[in-house]
Amino acid sequence: MKVTRALIGYLSRSVHSKTKPEVILRNIKTKPKAQSVLHALLIAMPKEQVHIPHLKSQRTQKKEVASKFPAGYINLEVLGNGAKGAPASLYVFTDQTRYLFNCGEGTQRLAHEHRMKLAKLEHVFITNSSWKNLGGVPGVALTIQDIGVPIITIHGPPGLENLFEGTRRFVILKDLQIRVADCVNDSQGYYEDHVMRINYVTLVKKGTNENGVSSEPEPESLKEKEEDKIDYYAPIKGSKRNLEVTQGGITKKLKGELEKDQFGRKIEKQADTVICYICRPKKKPGALLIEKCMDYGVPAGPLLGKLKRGEDVTLPNGTIVKAADVRSPDAPCTVFLVVDCPTEEYLDSFITNEELLKFHGDVPVDDIVHVIIHFTPKEMLKSSKYIEWMEKFRISTQHILLNNISEGMGSEAVHRVQYKLNLLDPYMFPLLKDSYGIDHNKKRTEFVSNTQLQITQGVTQYRYKLRPEIGVDNSIEVKFNPMDFVKEAMDIPDFELALNNLKRQFSQLTTSDVEYPKIIFLGTGSCIPNKTRNTSGILLQISESKCIILDCGEGTYGQLVRFFGPIHVDEILIKLSGIFVSHLHADHHLGLINLLQQREDSFKKQNIPFHPVFLISPHQIQSWLHLYDRNFEKLIHLYDLVGTTSLIIENSKLDPSFEKKFYEELNVKKIETVEVRHCPNAYGISIKGISGWKITYSGDTMPCDYLTTLGKDSDLLIHEATMEDELKDEALVKMHSTTSEAIEIGKKMNAKFIMLTHFSQRYSKVPKINGELDKNVGIAFDNMLLRLSDLWKVPMMYPILKTMFAESYDEMETKTAKKLRRKEREKMGKIE
């Protein structure tokens, strides 16, 4: 108590005297008692993002001008095609605004790579409340918040607000207002703006009531579970605790509790509703043809304005000029549908829906459906009833499939980098095995080959234009030419010579035939993914039959598909015995739900009896997972939780009988954890193999003595190195380590080798390191495969990596220099 009072008093004096946060931290002793209040100190630190209000103001002004005019162009563009490991999502572009239909894991990363700007995105439409459609929403929300989008409206099945309730403690949206549309009970039954009207079409599965709520009682095991009331970013970002969500015109502050009924019971909605969408763009009046106006003798002035608005006018000489004679034809109403029939249970509701049946057969010109986007999975496309429903539309209707029929995950950038790194060491950087794409000339699918339907499998950046002209534009589809990637590297000055020298150095190293353990880096970036570095994830292959994943940021499953291929990834998931989550920041566990679901699916495909995976995590993760289980999809049967506190070094709390089963299943000798210096409940881990090896993983942390003790004499330390040394003050405030600090921790623990990872996304290719790397220090890349015997090759690569990615490295150094100069000017200004 004395320590706490003293520190809070010190903080109060420091804040009022405008002492810098990093100075406050340096004056805090890092004893355990002081560490426990470290988070409270940072909460009070002012960290306003001054650019956001300016961006919001600019956006509002532009929107007010744009809303006076109809859309000049409308394009439907495939963002994610739904292939294995990839999201299924459609981006609707207009010159006025943007609409996103479904937002699975990895949507944000694809949007970033393909420059599908999210600045005008205001509405997200979800067809069904499954993780494959929702998993990317938190990441997209964070991105649009940072670029000044003030409000985002989520349309879809009931209960979507619970997604934000569940993630509010690790996805901080203090500058973004969330609105959730009531698509089921809305008396209007549609959303409308100046660009289009989007009608909601509700489907319910058998055994549910009219609101799509399951009548099944909740299992006792899910009732009255502990609620997590920790804000995992409060110590770092000073965020407000209450997230505001507007639904049906009523703004609610989410405070960690679910809505309750009149008897005080928690209202928990099981997602049994599917929403399809009928989209009707507003007509665009034809353009005024000035030459024809001149031919009719229309004088300059207000008469031209009337003709432009579609009004007939009378000239001073009595001549009547009809607007239709001096304007181009109006842009037609180009209707498109977005549909989803996820399982057989929804099929009857789907094929008999009166709102959709209106578009079958001969219809008025304004009701002609030009294109239908199918999120329906391939299993349902085998249904003769579904095909018959499709065949009742006009023969000219285009059908675009965004589902698990598709191939290729839509990213060129990851292959570009991997082909270049493969030149350095083909074993360490194997070529990726995801099916990159399809034959663009082969547009028909295996299930509908006997019909006359116009069907296209989704390809990322496939574009269907609705205005001004109608038709396909595949000029920007993702192309894949590996030889171009190799040529880019070989054309770099002095690269070939450096490559030959590297190969010569490798040839002088002794080799080992010890295959395991293997370490595969799935994600080596921090915070948000970029096109070359995904968020945190490491696959540790213990043996031929067992593996463990250390952290699983958004897109971890997709990274596994890329590395092992869409077929062999199932074998890996069956071998997956443990998942470690170091702490509850989004970039370390948002990929967990997809990983758990896909693992279960792998057992089903292989017809192998299922058993849960061990989830080694802070127990507070249960609050999020149980909320998701109650409101979206059943989940808790997929894992057995082993709390990180039960594995604390030299203080294991595992039951002896369970401990034996635990280690046998994981095929390791010992697992120990320790609390590290980051957010609340952040842990590092060490794993000892049966053959004697030891690997330690830091998770996210500032330099930490406890971690040094945990990792003593490790064969390999994998340590975060978020910032370069010049940004030490920033690393201190964000409670991360610099490269030198990470290396120093490795030296203190006498680690034989140190791999640096979790780089800030400012280092998209090669992180900045002062001087040369020590012989026992390496830099991690996504899709990098290492054995302990290969580690000594890694530091030899740093010089050629700087050559290979020289442009990116120079740009990074320039940015750092500018940032440091700006800080220096600010410092001098305060002194003056």
Side-chain angles (χ1 to χ4, degrees):
M1 181 64 70
K2 291 181 180 179
V3 174
T4 303
R5 287 176 178 171
L7 285 170
I8 291 176
Y10 176 74
L11 169 67
S12 177
R13 294 191 299 274
S14 300
V15 169
H16 287 295
S17 65
K18 299 182 179 180
T19 305
K20 286 188 175 182
E22 56 267 28
V23 176
I24 298 175
L25 285 173
R26 288 197 193 100
N27 286 279
I28 297 173
K29 295 181 179 180
T30 56
K31 293 179 180 179
K33 290 183 179 180
Q35 282 187 349
S36 66
V37 296
L38 189 59
H39 313 298
L41 306 183
L42 287 165
I43 289 175
M45 296 178 185
K47 300 178 185 66
E48 295 298 325
Q49 300 188 54
V50 295
H51 71 289
I52 290 182
H54 176 66
L55 291 173
K56 287 183 176 179
S57 176
Q58 281 186 325
R59 178 187 180 84
T60 301
Q61 293 173 12
K62 290 179 180 179
K63 186 178 178 181
E64 288 175 355
V65 174
S67 63
K68 299 176 182 178
F69 306 98
Y73 68 84
I74 302 175
N75 297 325
L76 312 184
E77 191 162 321
V78 175
L79 179 51
N81 63 6
K84 192 167 185 176
S89 53
L90 176 76
Y91 207 27
V92 179
F93 278 74
T94 78
D95 50 344
Q96 309 285 353
T97 188
R98 309 282 192 268
Y99 312 88
L100 181 64
F101 288 85
N102 283 337
C103 184
E105 244 183 76
T107 298
Q108 172 193 199
R109 191 180 189 193
L110 284 174
H112 172 72
E113 175 176 348
H114 300 298
R115 300 185 179 182
M116 295 187 184
K117 295 182 179 179
L118 301 175
K120 291 185 178 181
L121 178 63
E122 294 181 329
H123 295 272
V124 178
F125 296 84
I126 303 298
T127 57
N128 74 77
S129 301
S130 61
W131 189 256
K132 71 183 183 69
N133 293 333
L134 290 172
V137 171
V140 167
L142 286 169
T143 297
I144 63 175
Q145 172 182 245
D146 289 343
I147 56 180
V149 176
I151 300 170
I152 187 75
T153 301
I154 312 295
H155 307 253
L160 290 178
E161 68 277 7
N162 291 312
L163 176 70
F164 298 96
E165 163 58 33
T167 60
R168 58 181 290 274
R169 300 194 182 281
F170 50 83
V171 177
I172 303 304
L173 302 174
K174 63 177 180 176
D175 295 307
L176 179 69
Q177 182 183 351
I178 306 295
R179 291 179 179 172
V180 179
D182 189 347
C183 300
V184 173
N185 301 310
D186 189 341
S187 58
Q188 282 191 147
Y190 61 84
Y191 164 76
E192 186 172 22
D193 59 20
H194 62 287
V195 175
M196 70 174 75
R197 174 185 287 193
I198 302 177
N199 288 77
Y200 310 131
V201 178
T202 302
L203 309 179
V204 295
K205 73 177 183 179
K206 296 175 183 177
T208 58
N209 64 29
E210 60 184 4
N211 292 320
V213 179
S214 173
S215 58
E216 295 180 4
E218 181 191 17
E220 287 294 324
S221 60
L222 283 184
K223 294 181 180 179
E224 301 301 326
K225 290 293 180 181
E226 175 185 0
E227 291 180 357
D228 182 11
K229 296 187 177 181
I230 298 171
D231 191 334
Y232 290 95
Y233 277 102
I236 298 175
K237 295 189 177 179
S239 63
K240 65 182 181 183
R241 190 169 285 274
N242 293 330
L243 171 65
E244 293 186 353
V245 173
T246 301
Q247 184 179 29
I250 301 174
T251 299
K252 306 174 184 178
K253 287 189 175 182
L254 301 181
K255 298 181 179 180
E257 295 184 358
L258 294 174
E259 188 179 348
K260 297 182 179 180
D261 64 15
Q262 59 180 326
F263 302 107
R265 296 174 302 197
K266 294 177 181 178
I267 299 173
E268 295 162 348
K269 304 169 184 175
Q270 190 62 40
D272 289 329
T273 303
V274 170
I275 307 292
C276 300
Y277 301 96
I278 301 170
C279 307
R280 292 179 177 272
K282 300 289 182 67
K283 288 186 177 181
K284 183 179 186 297
L288 187 64
L289 306 174
I290 298 299
E291 290 184 0
K292 287 194 174 184
C293 290
M294 293 173 63
D295 292 341
Y296 279 97
V298 181
L303 293 181
L304 290 176
K306 289 185 176 182
L307 289 168
K308 185 176 181 180
R309 291 193 296 272
E311 303 173 19
D312 298 340
V313 301
T314 302
L315 301 182
N317 62 8
T319 303
I320 297 176
V321 180
K322 294 184 177 181
D325 295 333
V326 293
R327 293 198 324 169
S328 62
D330 292 348
C333 179
T334 47
V335 177
F336 67 96
L337 307 182
V338 177
V339 300
D340 190 358
C341 183
T343 67
E344 189 80 26
E345 295 169 297
Y346 292 93
L347 186 57
D348 288 343
S349 179
F350 177 70
I351 63 177
T352 61
N353 186 277
E354 293 182 0
E355 293 300 310
L356 297 176
L357 290 176
K358 290 177 182 178
F359 298 97
H360 282 167
D362 294 328
V363 295
V365 65
D366 284 346
D367 286 340
I368 295 174
V369 176
H370 291 264
V371 61
I372 303 177
I373 308 298
H374 298 263
F375 286 99
T376 301
K378 70 178 182 180
E379 292 77 15
M380 291 304 302
L381 286 176
K382 296 178 181 179
S383 167
S384 59
K385 291 181 179 180
Y386 195 95
I387 298 299
E388 288 171 7
W389 179 88
M390 294 171 67
E391 291 176 330
K392 290 177 182 179
F393 290 91
R394 292 168 63 96
I395 192 66
S396 60
T397 299
Q398 299 289 319
H399 298 267
I400 301 175
L401 310 182
L402 302 184
N403 59 14
N404 48 350
I405 287 177
S406 302
E407 300 177 13
M409 296 177 63
S411 174
E412 178 203 58
V414 293
H415 287 272
R416 181 184 297 272
V417 170
Q418 197 73 3
Y419 265 90
K420 293 178 180 180
L421 293 173
N422 178 262
L423 295 171
L424 309 186
D425 190 306
Y427 179 86
M428 194 179 296
F429 299 105
L431 298 180
L432 303 179
K433 299 178 180 64
D434 61 307
S435 300
Y436 188 76
I438 63 172
D439 181 351
H440 299 318
N441 296 316
K442 184 182 178 182
K443 299 295 184 182
R444 307 190 57 75
T445 75
E446 56 183 294
F447 300 121
V448 289
S449 57
N450 296 323
T451 77
Q452 298 301 311
L453 293 169
Q454 304 297 312
I455 294 179
T456 299
Q457 291 181 215
V459 178
T460 294
Q461 290 197 293
Y462 172 89
R463 177 181 290 176
Y464 191 90
K465 302 169 75 173
L466 294 176
R467 185 180 295 173
E469 63 273 357
I470 299 175
V472 175
D473 174 12
N474 57 14
S475 62
I476 63 169
E477 285 182 14
V478 175
K479 302 298 191 297
F480 183 59
N481 192 338
M483 292 304 99
D484 287 348
F485 306 156
V486 174
K487 187 175 184 300
E488 287 174 11
M490 299 306 293
D491 286 347
I492 297 171
D494 301 324
F495 176 80
E496 189 170 1
L497 177 62
L499 180 61
N500 291 333
N501 288 335
L502 181 68
K503 299 286 188 181
R504 189 162 45 253
Q505 293 179 61
F506 286 173
S507 66
Q508 297 171 1
L509 295 174
T510 56
T511 59
S512 170
D513 58 358
V514 178
E515 281 292 303
Y516 295 96
K518 293 180 181 178
I519 304 98
I520 300 171
F521 289 92
L522 304 172
T524 56
S526 67
C527 192
I528 60 173
N530 67 23
K531 59 186 180 181
T532 54
R533 289 190 185 274
N534 199 52
T535 48
S536 294
I538 302 167
L539 179 69
L540 177 59
Q541 291 185 289
I542 304 294
S543 63
E544 177 64 30
S545 60
K546 299 292 181 181
C547 57
I548 297 173
I549 280 183
L550 308 176
D551 278 332
C552 47
E554 179 182 343
T556 294
Y557 173 68
Q559 292 291 87
L560 287 170
V561 174
R562 284 194 178 97
F563 194 90
F564 293 100
I567 296 176
H568 294 295
V569 69
D570 291 328
E571 299 171 9
I572 295 298
L573 292 181
I574 290 171
K575 297 174 183 178
L576 181 62
S577 300
I579 301 173
F580 170 69
V581 174
S582 63
H583 62 291
L584 300 188
H585 279 168
D587 58 327
H588 289 258
H589 75 89
L590 265 187
L592 175 61
I593 290 176
N594 195 24
L595 205 58
L596 292 173
Q597 292 177 334
Q598 295 296 339
R599 181 177 180 271
E600 180 186 37
D601 192 51
S602 296
F603 277 86
K604 290 178 181 177
K605 289 177 183 175
Q606 301 294 328
N607 198 27
I608 297 174
F610 176 79
H611 62 85
V613 68
F614 288 117
L615 175 58
I616 305 167
S617 169
H619 70 271
Q620 290 84 1
I621 201 171
Q622 288 280 65
S623 178
W624 155 236
L625 295 179
H626 279 216
L627 184 145
Y628 187 87
D629 183 285
R630 287 192 299 260
N631 294 281
F632 298 101
E633 301 170 279
K634 296 304 179 185
L635 197 68
I636 62 169
H637 66 287
L638 302 180
Y639 65 89
D640 288 332
L641 182 69
V642 179
T644 42
T645 54
S646 65
L647 295 169
I648 293 294
I649 183 172
E650 297 180 356
N651 190 28
S652 175
K653 298 177 182 178
L654 295 179
D655 178 84
S657 60
F658 176 81
E659 184 176 41
K660 183 175 184 294
K661 174 188 173 184
F662 177 66
Y663 287 125
E664 284 180 353
E665 179 62 29
L666 295 177
N667 195 27
V668 297
K669 182 178 181 179
K670 191 74 173 177
I671 293 180
E672 294 180 308
T673 62
V674 69
E675 193 166 5
V676 294
R677 299 172 62 201
H678 190 53
C679 68
N681 304 313
Y683 291 84
I685 188 172
S686 75
I687 301 173
K688 297 178 182 178
I690 293 173
S691 61
W693 53 262
K694 179 179 180 180
I695 294 175
T696 300
Y697 170 54
S698 69
D700 284 7
T701 183
M702 303 165 66
C704 177
D705 291 340
Y706 293 144
L707 184 70
T708 303
T709 301
L710 177 73
K712 182 175 175 57
D713 297 326
S714 292
D715 292 280
L716 172 63
L717 166 66
I718 303 172
H719 201 290
E720 71 118 296
T722 309
M723 301 288 181
E724 61 193 88
D725 293 345
E726 286 81 355
L727 301 180
K728 184 176 181 178
D729 289 347
E730 187 172 337
L732 192 64
V733 169
K734 294 182 177 180
M735 305 184 79
H736 284 297
S737 297
T738 66
T739 52
S740 290
E741 287 173 336
I743 294 169
E744 184 60 27
I745 289 296
K747 291 178 178 178
K748 285 183 177 180
M749 69 170 61
N750 195 34
K752 293 178 183 176
F753 202 91
I754 306 161
M755 283 296 294
L756 305 179
T757 187
H758 195 268
F759 303 111
S760 167
Q761 296 296 7
R762 63 190 285 112
Y763 318 117
S764 60
K765 302 288 195 317
V766 182
K768 185 175 182 297
I769 295 178
N770 293 332
E772 295 298 321
L773 280 177
D774 292 343
K775 291 183 179 181
N776 68 334
V777 178
I779 295 168
F781 281 85
D782 282 21
N783 304 304
M784 183 183 200
L785 167 62
L786 291 171
R787 297 167 298 192
L788 294 180
S789 59
D790 298 323
L791 293 171
W792 309 103
K793 293 182 179 180
V794 182
M796 298 179 183
M797 295 180 179
Y798 189 62
I800 196 171
L801 289 170
K802 288 196 292 184
T803 300
M804 181 185 291
F805 302 118
E807 184 177 344
S808 172
Y809 191 83
D810 292 343
E811 180 182 349
M812 175 187 62
E813 286 197 311
T814 301
K815 286 181 179 180
T816 299
K818 287 181 178 178
K819 192 167 189 175
L820 292 173
R821 286 198 297 269
R822 185 173 66 252
K823 286 187 175 182
E824 188 65 26
R825 287 195 300 269
E826 291 172 355
K827 182 178 179 181
M828 294 302 295
K830 289 180 180 180
I831 294 175
E832 292 174 1

